[in-house]
Amino acid sequence: MNFEGLNPSLAEYAPPLLDPVLDAHLTPSLVELDPEGVSLEGMAVPESVPLMEGMYSELHTAVSEVGVPVSVSHFDLHEEMLWVGNHGGHATSFFGPTLERYSSFQVNSSDDIRQIQSLENGVLFLTKTNLKYMSRGGLIIFDYLMDESEDMHSLLLTDNNTLLVAGLQNHVLEIDLNTVQETQKYTVEVPGITIMRQSNRFFFCGHTSGKVSLRDLRTFVVEHEFDAYSGSLSDFDVHGNLLVTCGFSSRMNGLACDRFLKVYDLRMMRATTPLQVHIDPFFLRFIPTYTSRLAIISQTGQCQFCEPTGLANPADIFHVNTVGPLIMTFDVSASKQALAFGDSEGCVHLWADSPEVTFNAYSRETDFALPCMVDTLPHLDWNQDLVPLSLIPVPLTSDALLSDWPAANSAPAPRRAPPVDPEILRTMKKVGFIGYAPNPRTKLRNQIPYRLKEMDNEFDNFSQVPESPIGREEEPHLYRVAKKYRKVTIKYSKLGLEDFDFKHYNKTLFAGLEPHIPNAYCNCMIQVLYFLGLCQVLYFLEPVRCLVQNHLCQKEFCLGCELGLLFHMLDLSRGDPCQGSNFLRAFRTIPEASALGLILADSDEATGKVNLGRLIQSWNRFILTQLHQETQEQEGPQAYRGAGSSFGSSGDSVIGQLFSCEMENCSMCRCGKETVRVSSTLLFTLSYPDSTEKPAKDYEFAQILKRSICLEQNTQAWCENCEKYQPTVQTRNIRCLPDVLVINCEVNSSKEADFWKTQAEYSFQKAMMKRGGFDITKGKEISLGEWKDLGNPDTGHLYPSVEELKNIWIPHAIKMRLTKSKELDVSNWSETDELSPTDDPESVYIYDLMATVVHILDSRTGGSLVGHIKVGETYHQRKEGVTHQQWYLFNDFLIEPVDKCEAVQFDMSWKVPAILYYARRNLNAKYNLVIKNPIEASVLLAEASLARKQRKCHATFIPLMLSEMPQAGDLVGLDAEFVTLNEEEAELRSDGTKSTIKPSQMSVARITCVRGQGPNEGVPFIDDYISTQEQVVDYLTQYSGIKPGDLDAKISSKHLTTLKSTYLKLRFLIDVGVKFVGHGLQKDFRVINLMVPKDQVIDTVYLFHIPRKRMISLRFLAWYFLDLKIQGETHDSIEDARTALQLYRKYLELSPQGSEPEEFRKVLKGLYEKGRKLDWKVPEPDSQSSPKHGAVFPPVLAL
């Protein structure tokens, strides 16, 4: 910042002695000073100050150091903090919108702080001759001293590890932050540079002479220069294609503040009409929210907002109530929601556009210092092993202590070392005789329990031993959760998922679901398990599967549509796992899901403290209600609907027909007033008796179910007769029986868990009496021979194992009957029993258990959710060609057949029931289960773009005509480009290898399909840019060609569509049977979330590949075989798709049908030899031509 235009009294600042009489704004009630004159508390604005939404108003004021002018302010880019530096070299940070003091420390003993830049691990402070990198708590990370003749004013972070430092000298330094060394020195003209900004095209450097120079990003050479002011430059800012400056003009042998802001168009590199403002501009910043607003600040505290290309309005002027006479610094938060002003009396003022202001869009949590335990002398709890005994204050004395026993009465007993954490043993890698492992951080540093005898038993506890199916084998007695029920994880390698063996976990032909789904709201195992576990349950209900696969509507985010598309992928898969990223993306947009707390934040998932059992039951109720509403909407034309659903077209939805049950709710007041209302429900929640009897009463599951359905309870309710709230008796009766009975178990506390455990014990005793002929009570011992006889066929007892009788309470079948008086009768039933001839099938229903969803309690992993599903005959016939029924365990991508008794066994110490699905026997015969593909050819025809600025002259593709509709076997060139929503998270092991914790989350941004045959071969018929509402962290422009703004409907000039629209186009092409030709299509289809049969994919990356050799890039193949130079500066999906088609033609030419494969193998060997010589890099033009010359194919039609 150039200070030549400041008040002359501040030109040579020297810290004055503090006057006891402060400014009138600083009342003693607001500021408390310590003996050295430093403020101890921030000055808070009274709570009565109103804030208008959308308008900036003063929110809080705080004091950094009274009387010492603030020299710089900076909003932290990683945490919710505001940094302030002053002329005394002191730095202070304030946390949150309330400006609570976080840290305060001295950066330089004499020089003022001139710029602050926050990094991930600390903060950079620039003074006159010093660059200091310190932690947010004040610890020095490095201190870089410069020559005493330097006068540094500005720094600019060009990337994560490189920094430019400039000032009033003839050079600019480039510093590497990793090595803390000067790597480059660029020469500039005198008097130097005081302000630096950066865009994606230039470095912008402001000079005290009034000029602004535009410099090359690589060489720092001047490309353009604007002579803005005749006197001096005060400030400037860059946004988009506009550069706006403010400064001083030379008048009467002096400098005068110029009220004209100079505006420059960076596209034409010339000045536009200056912007006249009504204040003396000293600072300016772009605040691009809805428009490209400019904030212009005067040194006296006036603030004006205006558009850079419009006229300034005097009504838009605000005043900052400063304590000192001058504004010394100004900054804008990254979220554009907060402004910070620092004045000449050491106060900082925070302005915001809303009371709940955030400084960053995504801030990480701030670490706060732990309270000092010694000074506070807390109460000691002798039951806590980790409480340090040193907290007890002991006076200094020379007398013998009571604990100092004589040697005769004591024996030395050295403390035994605690056992090594098994997590360390599991992850340890040995180099020679030394083992290396990452710190699991399960214990505090230098603290172990005083009592270690109990640890022998604790060590055998299941929570002490880690396990994952990909881990090493442990002894089974050390871990009580069965291995197949534990949380499964994907181990990522350099190749991502390509070398991960999913078949090891799934020997069936059913499709598992991947746990690591790239989704903004769901990045850990817990969300994936509880969502997708239930999706699989719905999938194996045949009527529901047919319903959602026939459903297709025009809504962009419809759970029914996305669930149908996901079920189609499960149908196509032959054992390969699928992912539901598109379904979860739509789920995240439903406001009701967020209101119900079903969308977990990263912090909630990381803690592992979420009650997954309760959460999945809430989600169960939500998904049934949402599908019922979506499939019930039949109003208006449906853009993508085909011949129509095979279910009813009006009235109740099929979800309602399957799950809905009419209820009659009666409320009886004690005055005798009875109120009856009729409602419907899609599921029932178990209600347990509130009994404290000892011993507990024996209940059958059918009794509890009937009690829960026909619920009776006493509650306070409004009585119209009494005209007040009165105690009422509310009863609920059922009018009809549903086809699918869904039950939420509501085992959310130890009380319900104990109830299940007790009832399972009673059931076990009754089962043993029935099969063994004798009673089993607590304390009674059974001989080994009697136990064996229970499973011996010779004794007439055919039950296979006693273990299979334990922990079972719920039956595999239930009989429910409605009497003529509408009374409900519920009883446990056997799977093999049938109705008697006297039973009326219209009023008597037999329900068979179809699925159970259970909550696995595992303290090592935070718990998980798995499903037991009874897979019917139709699925086995379709997948495996056999007709039988079988129970399977679905644990993400782990699928394993299990015995039917295992589906109803619930060991409440680790396996807790959450949801039960009972389906009426012979349910499928009632419904039409024909699936009609609802996607029509019309999806490929021309459609409107979402982009407002898109014109026909910008079209990059020609839609298919009706005469060009693809047929089975037609070739279609395909390529897709992606952007990054979340960066990869990885850790570096102690042996130097990298371990991927969470892969980067990609989102498709552009999809291109080109014609593969016909007169228009090579002409695109799909070139869709995918609109996204999620925040993009990296557009990957060098590799994708996608630029900021291309995906924004407001400013994009591309053909912008929704993901669903383009997805349906690709689904139609897949269903028709076209063959896709591309390079690296496996990743493309994975991110798009498409399942394509292998015989419909022609991937050039595998056509020109020798097994166990490296994959070759499309750019190198195009140069080698086609003599084409592609992907020069960036990637273009049209060019890539065309090139892949040409490579496939070349492959057919080199390897015709029936030819000797040995000839083509020689061609591949020559390709690899050439690649190794050139290090797989395409030579520069004119340096070396490719082995093939001339165009291989005729030129492709241009648009």
Side-chain angles (χ1 to χ4, degrees):
M1 179 61 63
N2 177 28
F3 292 99
E4 293 184 13
L6 289 176
N7 191 317
S9 62
L10 292 173
E12 296 294 333
Y13 171 75
L17 295 175
L18 288 174
D19 196 319
V21 181
L22 296 174
D23 192 285
H25 293 281
L26 292 177
T27 61
S29 62
L30 293 177
V31 179
E32 179 185 357
L33 302 179
D34 66 1
E36 297 180 357
V38 179
S39 169
L40 300 178
E41 295 183 1
M43 300 196 314
V45 171
E47 296 296 332
S48 60
V49 174
L51 279 181
M52 297 177 60
E53 292 287 343
M55 299 289 291
Y56 288 102
S57 305
E58 188 168 1
L59 183 63
H60 278 285
T61 298
V63 179
S64 63
E65 194 170 353
V66 175
V68 182
V70 175
S71 60
V72 64
S73 60
H74 172 72
F75 283 100
D76 199 304
L77 301 178
H78 300 275
E79 301 183 11
E80 291 291 307
M81 295 170 61
L82 172 62
W83 289 91
V84 175
N86 64 18
H87 277 265
H90 198 84
T92 307
S93 61
F94 300 94
F95 175 75
T98 57
L99 297 186
E100 299 177 9
R101 189 180 293 260
Y102 178 78
S103 60
S104 182
F105 45 84
Q106 194 73 22
V107 175
N108 195 288
S109 58
S110 57
D111 294 334
D112 58 328
I113 301 175
R114 297 186 173 179
Q115 193 162 344
I116 300 176
Q117 176 66 50
S118 58
L119 302 178
E120 184 175 358
N121 298 320
V123 184
L124 286 168
F125 298 94
L126 179 68
T127 59
K128 183 178 179 181
T129 60
N130 179 235
L131 176 66
K132 189 170 288 188
Y133 186 30
M134 308 181 74
S135 69
R136 287 172 172 81
L139 299 178
I140 298 176
I141 301 176
F142 70 72
D143 189 357
Y144 184 76
L145 294 175
M146 305 175 201
D147 192 86
E148 293 182 357
S149 62
E150 305 281 10
D151 188 6
M152 294 300 178
H153 278 262
S154 178
L155 62 84
L156 180 65
L157 191 68
T158 58
D159 57 43
N160 292 334
N161 301 314
T162 309
L163 190 73
L164 293 178
V165 183
L168 298 179
Q169 56 273 333
N170 64 347
H171 56 262
V172 175
L173 303 180
E174 183 182 81
I175 299 175
D176 189 325
L177 295 180
N178 289 331
T179 60
V180 198
Q181 292 181 354
E182 176 186 320
T183 57
Q184 195 83 4
K185 180 182 286 189
Y186 302 106
T187 302
V188 297
E189 62 180 12
V190 179
I193 297 172
T194 56
I195 309 173
M196 288 193 292
R197 303 273 190 267
Q198 182 182 2
S199 72
N200 57 355
R201 294 175 59 193
F202 301 107
F203 289 127
F204 297 84
C205 301
H207 306 263
T208 56
S209 60
K211 295 181 180 180
V212 178
S213 59
L214 282 63
R215 298 176 178 269
D216 185 85
L217 293 176
R218 291 179 300 157
T219 62
F220 211 70
V221 175
V222 176
E223 298 285 343
H224 301 277
E225 191 171 72
F226 299 125
D227 196 350
Y229 296 97
S230 59
S232 180
L233 187 70
S234 175
D235 200 0
F236 73 88
D237 201 6
V238 182
H239 176 65
N241 296 315
L242 292 179
L243 166 67
V244 183
T245 66
C246 64
F248 300 91
S249 298
S250 299
R251 296 177 188 171
M252 303 294 292
N253 298 326
L255 294 180
C257 189
D258 197 327
R259 289 201 175 188
F260 282 93
L261 303 182
K262 302 297 179 65
V263 183
Y264 298 92
D265 191 329
L266 299 179
R267 292 170 295 186
M268 297 177 286
M269 292 299 172
R270 65 177 179 84
T272 61
T273 305
L275 177 64
Q276 185 179 8
V277 295
H278 301 85
I279 63 175
D280 294 333
F282 194 75
F283 303 97
L284 61 85
R285 289 288 189 280
F286 276 103
I287 308 180
T289 51
Y290 302 104
T291 60
S292 301
R293 286 190 300 174
L294 262 178
I296 303 111
I297 315 297
S298 73
Q299 200 174 0
T300 56
Q302 292 173 310
C303 176
Q304 183 171 10
F305 294 92
C306 65
E307 294 292 330
T309 57
L311 296 176
N313 188 353
D316 294 334
I317 298 178
F318 304 92
H319 190 79
V320 182
N321 296 320
T322 58
V323 176
L326 299 175
I327 292 289
M328 305 294 292
T329 180
F330 169 63
D331 195 27
V332 182
S333 67
S335 65
K336 314 303 180 187
Q337 299 179 18
L339 312 176
F341 305 88
D343 63 26
S344 57
E345 285 295 332
C347 294
V348 59
H349 310 269
L350 179 67
W351 283 46
D353 62 356
S354 66
E356 293 80 21
V357 62
T358 56
F359 298 159
N360 300 299
Y362 301 98
S363 294
R364 67 186 183 195
E365 292 188 4
T366 301
D367 293 330
F368 291 93
L370 296 175
C372 182
M373 299 178 63
V374 177
D375 293 342
T376 54
L377 292 178
H379 173 72
L380 294 182
D381 187 357
W382 294 103
N383 296 321
Q384 296 294 329
D385 296 340
L386 290 177
V387 173
L389 299 182
S390 58
L391 292 181
I392 305 174
V394 178
L396 182 62
T397 176
S398 58
D399 298 334
L401 299 177
L402 180 63
S403 60
D404 188 10
W405 285 40
N409 298 336
S410 61
R415 177 181 296 169
R416 177 172 50 86
V420 178
D421 192 329
E423 177 67 15
I424 296 178
L425 298 176
R426 188 181 75 85
T427 59
M428 184 171 64
K429 294 186 178 297
K430 290 187 176 181
V431 179
F433 58 90
I434 301 176
Y436 298 90
N439 185 1
R441 303 190 184 280
T442 55
K443 298 178 180 178
L444 295 176
R445 183 187 294 271
N446 298 330
Q447 292 193 21
I448 61 170
Y450 282 100
R451 299 195 304 269
L452 296 177
K453 292 183 180 180
E454 294 88 345
M455 293 192 66
D456 293 334
N457 296 329
E458 292 177 3
F459 185 72
D460 288 337
N461 193 301
F462 78 103
S463 64
Q464 296 291 329
V465 181
E467 175 58 19
S468 170
I470 61 174
R472 62 177 65 178
E473 298 291 334
E474 290 94 0
E475 298 181 25
H477 73 280
L478 295 179
Y479 206 90
R480 64 178 177 182
V481 179
K483 188 172 183 178
K484 59 187 175 184
Y485 286 96
R486 303 173 199 170
K487 181 181 290 187
V488 290
T489 57
I490 298 176
K491 189 175 182 181
Y492 293 90
S493 67
K494 293 180 180 179
L495 300 178
L497 292 176
E498 293 182 13
D499 58 346
F500 187 79
D501 185 14
F502 287 104
K503 295 294 183 183
H504 175 73
Y505 303 95
N506 180 15
K507 302 290 195 300
T508 72
L509 293 179
F510 300 113
L513 289 159
E514 295 179 14
H516 289 181
I517 293 181
N519 209 295
Y521 74 96
C522 176
N523 293 321
C524 77
M525 295 283 289
I526 299 175
Q527 282 284 75
V528 177
L529 285 174
Y530 96 77
F531 279 131
L532 298 188
L534 197 52
C535 288
Q536 290 168 324
V537 172
L538 294 176
Y539 171 68
F540 284 104
L541 287 172
E542 185 81 355
V544 179
R545 183 184 70 87
C546 297
L547 163 70
V548 297
Q549 286 190 248
N550 282 324
H551 171 76
L552 196 61
C553 68
Q554 60 186 5
K555 290 169 58 178
E556 180 181 358
F557 299 110
C558 173
L559 292 188
C561 295
E562 296 296 346
L563 204 56
L565 298 173
L566 176 60
F567 288 172
H568 179 79
M569 294 172 58
L570 296 176
D571 274 346
L572 291 180
S573 174
R574 303 290 293 175
D576 296 323
C578 302
Q579 55 178 346
S581 55
N582 290 352
F583 169 74
L584 292 179
R585 176 174 174 263
F587 173 77
R588 191 187 62 251
T589 64
I590 307 297
E592 291 84 354
S594 178
L596 292 171
L598 301 179
I599 300 175
L600 299 184
D602 289 344
S603 57
D604 296 332
E605 301 172 48
T607 58
K609 297 180 180 179
V610 180
N611 190 328
L612 294 179
R614 181 177 299 170
L615 204 59
I616 190 61
Q617 293 175 76
S618 300
W619 189 86
N620 182 33
R621 184 185 301 274
F622 164 79
I623 195 66
L624 292 179
T625 305
Q626 190 71 20
L627 290 177
H628 174 58
Q629 294 173 356
E630 291 179 350
T631 54
Q632 198 175 24
E633 296 171 355
Q634 302 289 340
E635 301 174 1
Q638 306 230 352
Y640 308 123
R641 183 173 293 279
S645 172
S646 59
F647 301 102
S649 61
S650 63
D652 198 6
S653 71
V654 177
I655 295 293
Q657 298 174 30
L658 282 166
F659 299 95
S660 181
C661 179
E662 277 196 7
M663 310 294 298
E664 185 180 273
N665 299 279
C666 177
S667 179
M668 175 70 75
C669 178
R670 61 184 181 182
C671 70
K673 173 71 173 178
E674 184 178 10
T675 305
V676 178
R677 60 183 179 88
V678 177
S679 63
S680 62
T681 182
L682 297 173
L683 55 81
F684 296 98
T685 301
L686 290 185
S687 175
Y688 303 99
D690 187 13
S691 176
T692 57
E693 300 177 2
K694 298 294 182 180
K697 188 178 177 181
D698 181 11
Y699 292 94
E700 281 194 346
F701 178 77
Q703 294 177 266
I704 300 300
L705 181 59
K706 179 181 178 181
R707 182 181 187 276
S708 304
I709 295 175
C710 302
L711 189 62
E712 180 176 335
Q713 57 185 357
N714 297 320
T715 183
Q716 290 284 116
W718 178 263
C719 178
E720 295 181 356
N721 190 27
C722 303
E723 296 186 347
K724 61 179 179 179
Y725 284 95
Q726 290 281 52
T728 58
V729 178
Q730 295 187 349
T731 56
R732 185 173 67 184
N733 295 309
I734 192 170
R735 283 189 170 186
C736 62
L737 295 173
D739 288 337
V740 179
L741 183 64
V742 185
I743 303 170
N744 279 354
C745 296
E746 283 293 325
V747 185
N748 298 325
S749 67
S750 58
K751 182 179 179 181
E752 290 88 2
D754 292 341
F755 180 84
W756 275 73
K757 185 176 180 180
T758 303
Q759 300 310 316
E761 291 175 355
Y762 282 128
S763 299
F764 177 66
Q765 293 181 16
K766 288 185 286 186
M768 297 303 295
M769 291 176 62
K770 181 179 179 180
R771 286 167 170 77
F774 52 86
D775 187 14
I776 298 178
T777 56
K778 289 186 178 180
K780 180 177 180 180
E781 295 185 359
I782 307 299
S783 67
L784 182 61
E786 290 175 320
W787 282 112
K788 293 181 177 179
D789 288 343
L790 291 175
N792 190 348
D794 298 335
T795 61
H797 308 303
L798 301 178
Y799 207 84
S801 170
V802 175
E803 290 297 323
E804 296 180 358
L805 289 173
K806 292 183 178 179
N807 300 316
I808 295 179
W809 180 44
I810 67 172
H812 280 278
I814 294 174
K815 176 183 177 183
M816 297 181 70
R817 180 172 65 92
L818 272 179
T819 64
K820 294 182 179 179
S821 59
K822 294 298 181 181
E823 291 186 1
L824 180 64
D825 181 29
V826 185
S827 59
N828 292 0
W829 198 253
S830 173
E831 284 185 295
T832 57
D833 293 344
E834 297 290 342
L835 292 175
S836 64
T838 59
D839 290 329
D840 181 12
E842 295 297 326
S843 60
V844 180
Y845 283 17
I846 301 298
Y847 292 94
D848 291 315
L849 184 65
M850 294 299 297
T852 61
V853 178
V854 296
H855 180 198
I856 304 301
L857 304 179
D858 191 344
S859 61
R860 295 294 298 180
T861 61
S864 60
L865 289 158
V866 301
H868 302 97
I869 302 171
K870 184 180 181 182
V871 179
E873 296 179 355
T874 56
Y875 291 90
H876 283 102
Q877 177 68 33
R878 186 165 58 250
K879 291 283 188 180
E880 300 177 345
V882 295
T883 55
H884 75 288
Q885 296 183 346
Q886 173 65 45
W887 281 90
Y888 288 90
L889 168 69
F890 284 79
N891 183 6
D892 282 337
F893 53 83
L894 187 152
I895 303 176
E896 187 174 314
V898 295
D899 192 79
K900 68 176 184 178
C901 65
E902 193 170 333
V904 294
Q905 281 185 313
F906 303 114
D907 185 346
M908 302 307 291
S909 61
W910 63 274
K911 186 181 178 185
V912 180
I915 301 169
L916 309 177
Y917 271 72
Y918 282 91
R920 184 181 176 185
R921 192 167 293 179
N922 301 322
L923 170 67
N924 294 349
K926 182 179 176 182
Y927 294 91
N928 179 7
L929 302 180
V930 177
I931 297 178
K932 299 178 181 179
N933 190 352
I935 305 176
E936 295 180 337
S938 58
V939 297
L940 291 178
L941 302 180
E943 64 174 351
S945 171
L946 299 177
R948 301 175 183 175
K949 296 184 179 182
Q950 207 258 347
R951 299 288 185 268
K952 289 185 178 180
C953 60
H954 296 153
T956 56
F957 67 100
I958 300 177
L960 291 174
M961 302 298 179
L962 289 176
S963 59
E964 295 182 293
M965 283 300 160
Q967 306 297 323
D970 285 354
L971 297 181
V972 172
L974 183 140
D975 190 63
E977 307 294 352
F978 308 98
V979 293
T980 302
L981 301 181
N982 279 320
E983 297 288 357
E984 176 189 81
E985 293 184 12
E987 65 177 0
L988 196 63
R989 297 194 185 99
S990 55
D991 60 354
T993 59
K994 188 179 81 167
S995 172
T996 301
I997 301 173
K998 186 168 64 175
S1000 61
Q1001 180 195 345
M1002 311 291 288
S1003 177
V1004 61
R1006 183 184 182 187
I1007 296 177
T1008 300
C1009 292
V1010 302
R1011 295 167 173 86
Q1013 57 275 311
N1016 291 336
E1017 178 180 347
V1019 177
F1021 63 91
I1022 296 175
D1023 188 24
D1024 291 347
Y1025 286 74
I1026 310 301
S1027 174
T1028 179
Q1029 300 176 356
E1030 296 159 316
Q1031 179 160 354
V1032 178
V1033 300
D1034 192 351
Y1035 284 90
L1036 304 173
T1037 304
Q1038 181 182 355
Y1039 307 104
S1040 68
I1042 307 297
K1043 299 178 181 178
D1046 285 351
L1047 309 182
D1048 190 343
K1050 297 178 182 178
I1051 60 176
S1052 177
S1053 61
K1054 311 297 183 181
H1055 182 78
L1056 207 61
T1057 65
T1058 63
L1059 176 61
K1060 182 177 179 181
S1061 172
T1062 308
Y1063 190 97
L1064 293 176
K1065 298 174 186 178
L1066 297 179
R1067 255 293 305 275
F1068 178 80
L1069 295 175
I1070 295 171
D1071 296 342
V1072 167
V1074 304
K1075 293 186 177 182
F1076 293 99
V1077 181
H1079 193 81
L1081 290 179
Q1082 182 178 357
K1083 178 184 177 183
D1084 292 357
F1085 289 138
R1086 175 178 174 80
V1087 179
I1088 299 172
N1089 200 15
L1090 269 175
M1091 178 68 67
V1092 185
K1094 294 181 179 179
D1095 58 351
Q1096 290 182 238
V1097 179
I1098 301 173
D1099 200 333
T1100 55
V1101 79
Y1102 296 110
L1103 294 182
F1104 300 94
H1105 176 247
I1106 297 178
R1108 294 181 297 278
K1109 301 279 187 180
R1110 63 166 288 162
M1111 301 292 184
I1112 304 177
S1113 69
L1114 180 65
R1115 185 167 189 252
F1116 193 86
L1117 290 174
W1119 170 81
Y1120 185 84
F1121 286 110
L1122 308 177
D1123 197 18
L1124 292 177
K1125 294 292 183 67
I1126 65 171
Q1127 302 174 354
E1129 295 182 358
T1130 182
H1131 287 220
D1132 181 74
S1133 56
I1134 296 178
E1135 181 183 54
D1136 292 352
R1138 288 172 177 167
T1139 306
L1141 273 173
Q1142 296 183 35
L1143 280 173
Y1144 178 58
R1145 303 287 188 195
K1146 187 65 176 179
Y1147 169 79
L1148 296 178
E1149 177 187 322
L1150 296 173
S1151 179
Q1153 295 295 331
S1155 65
E1156 291 292 332
E1158 194 63 33
E1159 296 296 326
F1160 184 64
R1161 199 169 291 125
K1162 291 180 181 178
V1163 174
L1164 290 184
K1165 288 182 179 179
L1167 168 67
Y1168 274 85
E1169 289 176 4
K1170 190 70 173 179
R1172 280 191 291 270
K1173 290 179 181 178
L1174 298 176
D1175 197 19
W1176 300 103
K1177 295 178 181 179
V1178 175
E1180 294 297 326
D1182 302 329
S1183 63
Q1184 183 175 357
S1185 61
S1186 71
K1188 312 294 180 286
H1189 296 280
V1192 180
F1193 301 102
V1196 181
L1197 291 176
L1199 292 178

